[in-house]
Amino acid sequence: MKLALYQPEIPQNVGTMIRLGSCLGVGIDIIDPCGFVWDDTRLKRAGMDYIDLATVTRHSCWDEFRHQASSPPNPSRIILLDTKATLDYWDFSFHCSDILLVGQESCGVSDVVFDQCQYQVKIPMVSNRRSLNVAVAASVVLGEAIRQTRFNNN
């Protein structure tokens, strides 16, 4: 299982998700361009010393990431976490090889990226609430995905 961040804008969120991935043994994919300089001190502060322990792969663009994710011998499903999705995350059957994708903090993903993701899930929330922080959302859904797949090899 992996986490993917689509054109992240806030270094603290990236650092937090790198730390999450490191602690849970989950790889992190960063889809450029980032909205900050990669060696930003805020990234390092949020990620602490976990950045050196994490498996981070950077991709120059969405198309490169999507191509790599779908390539044999081990193609992965890309599961988009998005407030516009219709399926609640707890009703989705996760696989060990899934990549959980979060969008930009300010606007999510483009309609093109949304449409190119075969699977989209949402975190149901109280009405009149826009969204959770992307790092929090990634943690919530990743926790469920790991719970579902912990004894499976699918």
Side-chain angles (χ1 to χ4, degrees):
M1 186 136 343
K2 293 172 88 176
L3 283 176
L5 292 67
Y6 177 80
Q7 300 180 354
E9 301 166 309
I10 301 174
Q12 296 92 327
N13 286 333
V14 176
T16 298
M17 287 190 267
I18 288 173
R19 186 174 178 176
L20 174 68
S22 175
C23 289
L24 298 181
V26 173
I28 305 293
D29 286 308
I30 306 291
I31 304 161
D32 284 325
C34 290
F36 57 91
V37 176
W38 183 251
D39 64 356
D40 189 293
T41 56
R42 294 168 295 181
L43 170 69
K44 292 177 184 173
R45 190 175 311 119
M48 298 176 64
D49 54 343
Y50 295 95
I51 290 175
D52 295 332
L53 302 172
T55 303
V56 178
T57 305
R58 294 192 60 194
H59 305 272
S60 64
C61 65
W62 167 251
D63 289 334
E64 177 194 308
F65 164 76
R66 199 171 67 126
H67 174 74
Q68 187 172 350
S70 63
S71 294
N74 299 313
S76 297
R77 302 185 310 171
I78 299 171
I79 317 302
L80 176 63
L81 286 59
D82 195 286
T83 58
K84 297 183 300 267
T86 57
L87 181 64
D88 294 340
Y89 76 97
W90 55 56
D91 292 329
F92 187 79
S93 294
F94 292 95
H95 295 176
C96 293
S97 60
D98 286 344
I99 300 172
L100 307 180
L101 173 67
V102 296
Q104 290 179 302
E105 292 88 346
S106 65
C107 59
V109 298
S110 68
D111 290 341
V112 170
V113 170
F114 186 93
D115 292 340
Q116 289 178 348
C117 291
Q118 184 177 0
Y119 306 98
Q120 301 111 0
V121 298
K122 68 176 181 173
I123 299 171
M125 293 182 288
V126 174
S127 63
N128 299 320
R129 306 307 191 274
R130 279 192 331 253
S131 64
L132 293 169
N133 170 282
V134 293
V136 171
S139 299
V140 168
V141 178
L142 179 61
E144 173 62 12
I146 290 172
R147 185 196 68 78
Q148 285 185 22
T149 62
R150 68 180 177 240
F151 301 115
N152 300 328
N153 291 321
N154 59 358

